[in-house]
Amino acid sequence: MENFKISARQFTILVILSSIGTTILVIPGIMAQEVKQDAWIAAVIGTGIGLLLVALYIAVGRMFPTMTLVEIIETLFGKWLGKAVSITFVLFSLYCTAELLLYVGNFITTQIMPDTPIEVIHILFACILTMGIRLGLEPLARSAELLFPIFVFLFVILVVSILLPPAQYKFENIQPVFETGIKPMIHAVYLFTSFFSLPLIILLMIFPVSVNQPKAAEKNFFIGVLIGGICLLIIIALTIIVLGVDNTARNTYPSYVLARKINVGDFLQRIEAIMAIMWIITIYYKMSFYFYASVIGLAQTLNMKDYRPLTLPLGIIMVSLSLLIHPNVVHSTTFDKEIWPLYVSTYGLVLPILLLIVNAFRKKIHQK
């Protein structure tokens, strides 16, 4: 099995990119639908909850620092029950990879290349994804180091270009504050958390086992989630301030529409490709971790010495699944709002708590 180690700095970059992932493109619209102009407040609370979840994941990682999540599950739950739970985790990871691949296909075919068959986009992106996983974790982390400054540069350009023309934004769009009730706010925070921080359970497949400085990585885990949360907060606030609540809620990709609004002196305008590039960079790494978890998890469950023979068959399954899981955009949107939060909570919240409880129980038995 792979013995590559990444640095704590590389881990921070991977946390930032994977936490932003799909969230940067779709979450402003979902938040605006739920709590209107208070969407930014839900993002602030959701980021705070994300930091609490990071503390939970670090506690799980500390139990067996030389094991991946799949190995921890098998150690605590026993051979047969552990393998059964691990298989469901592998299926969860593979399903999430297919889901994100569908996001890529839908976005590119509706916004950028409408005449291109979605199957072609899926196959090309899946080839790049499979190639990255076959090369291993270390090359993946190094490529993230190279692309992260580009992401930061484009993000700064986007924010500055939107804020430069004063007539472009209206701060009254985020007023009145706290107009929505407690119940919609709780639901909005839950939705935000389900996209932003609960999927980070997948990082326990590389943390702390594949990080050469586990203690420093724990601190950087918090920093990465905080930076990712701040980026999302800025994008959500800007979409509402510039587009207004109604336009934000109506659009499937409001942050992409936001980028279309850029107009600096009638010279710098229609540079929505900035948002597209930022999103493709972040979603690639989020997909990579899901696919890495499914491949490594299956290899460890089957006690294989090398995971690479699994990349191609799982890649083919991923492409096929991405074309079957949702028949249309309405079905996908309904799934994201009603089913996905419960599904990801099973692995992002229930599973780590259960692992901590079982470990504490086992320690008490051994002490007696």
Side-chain angles (χ1 to χ4, degrees):
M1 198 60 69
E2 187 179 36
N3 292 316
F4 290 141
K5 293 280 186 177
I6 62 174
S7 68
R9 178 175 174 272
Q10 289 172 330
F11 180 69
T12 311
I13 292 171
L14 293 174
V15 171
I16 295 170
L17 294 177
S18 58
S19 63
I20 293 174
T22 49
T23 319
I24 193 172
L25 203 63
V26 298
I27 204 65
I30 294 174
M31 292 291 98
Q33 290 171 17
E34 295 294 322
V35 285
K36 299 180 181 179
Q37 69 271 14
D38 289 337
W40 65 274
I41 300 173
V44 172
I45 299 171
T47 302
I49 293 174
L51 296 175
L52 295 177
L53 286 170
V54 168
L56 175 64
Y57 301 153
I58 289 174
V60 173
R62 281 177 178 172
M63 294 190 301
F64 301 96
T66 59
M67 296 182 182
T68 65
L69 179 60
V70 166
E71 291 172 325
I72 293 173
I73 290 170
E74 192 168 331
T75 301
L76 292 178
F77 289 165
K79 183 178 180 180
W80 298 110
L81 179 60
K83 285 188 181 298
V85 175
S86 296
I87 287 295
T88 66
F89 178 74
V90 168
L91 293 174
F92 163 76
S93 303
L94 188 61
Y95 179 88
C96 292
T97 314
E99 182 86 20
L100 297 192
L101 190 59
L102 179 62
Y103 273 25
V104 172
N106 282 339
F107 174 72
I108 292 179
T109 54
T110 57
Q111 303 294 326
I112 302 174
M113 303 166 68
D115 295 328
T116 304
I118 193 170
E119 294 85 358
V120 174
I121 304 297
H122 285 203
I123 292 170
L124 289 175
F125 208 87
C127 288
I128 300 169
L129 185 65
T130 304
M131 181 180 70
I133 300 304
R134 285 185 70 87
L135 290 173
L137 183 60
E138 193 174 11
L140 203 63
R142 287 177 178 176
S143 67
E145 274 190 299
L146 291 173
L147 292 173
F148 183 67
I150 297 174
F151 170 81
V152 173
F153 175 74
L154 293 178
F155 184 83
V156 171
I157 290 293
L158 177 70
V159 173
V160 171
S161 301
I162 290 169
L163 293 178
L164 274 179
Q168 197 159 255
Y169 49 89
K170 300 177 182 178
F171 283 104
E172 54 265 29
N173 285 340
I174 59 171
Q175 297 172 344
V177 180
F178 292 114
E179 185 187 36
T180 53
I182 297 296
K183 191 175 178 180
M185 180 61 70
I186 291 173
H187 189 238
V189 170
Y190 184 38
L191 284 173
F192 181 86
T193 306
S194 70
F195 281 96
F196 172 62
S197 50
L198 284 173
L200 294 178
I201 183 69
I202 217 79
L203 293 180
L204 287 181
M205 291 299 292
I206 66 169
F207 169 85
V209 61
S210 296
V211 184
N212 60 13
Q213 298 169 299
K215 286 294 179 185
E218 289 182 3
K219 176 185 175 183
N220 290 1
F221 206 159
F222 285 107
I223 294 172
V225 169
L226 183 60
I227 292 173
I230 291 171
C231 289
L232 293 174
L233 171 62
I234 292 171
I235 291 296
I236 290 171
L238 285 177
T239 52
I240 293 174
I241 290 171
V242 175
L243 300 179
V245 174
D246 292 336
N247 284 334
T248 302
R250 276 198 300 265
N251 281 290
T252 307
Y253 310 113
S255 52
Y256 188 71
V257 177
L258 173 71
R260 285 179 176 171
K261 292 284 186 179
I262 292 174
N263 186 353
V264 181
D266 291 328
F267 171 71
L268 187 66
Q269 56 185 325
R270 295 303 299 263
I271 53 172
E272 59 268 18
I274 283 182
M275 178 57 70
I277 295 169
M278 287 168 52
W279 184 69
I280 287 172
I281 290 173
T282 55
I283 198 172
Y284 175 77
Y285 288 99
K286 191 167 188 176
M287 285 177 66
S288 296
F289 285 125
Y290 277 130
F291 195 49
Y292 182 83
S294 61
V295 172
I296 296 291
L298 184 58
Q300 291 178 340
T301 303
L302 300 176
N303 297 322
M304 295 176 63
K305 292 183 179 180
D306 187 11
Y307 70 89
R308 287 176 178 84
L310 295 173
T311 54
L312 185 57
L314 286 181
I316 294 171
I317 293 171
M318 170 185 64
V319 173
S320 303
L321 191 60
S322 67
L323 298 170
L324 297 173
I325 49 178
H326 298 302
N328 51 55
V329 176
V330 175
H331 187 277
S332 177
T333 305
T334 305
F335 175 86
D336 288 344
K337 294 181 68 174
E338 297 179 7
I339 308 299
W340 169 251
L342 297 173
Y343 188 32
V344 73
S345 296
T346 306
Y347 295 95
L349 184 62
V350 176
L351 180 61
I353 291 174
L354 196 58
L355 289 172
L356 289 173
I357 293 171
V358 171
N359 187 55
F361 187 68
R362 281 165 60 97
K363 280 184 176 179
K364 284 189 177 181
I365 291 176
H366 288 306
Q367 285 175 356
K368 291 179 180 179

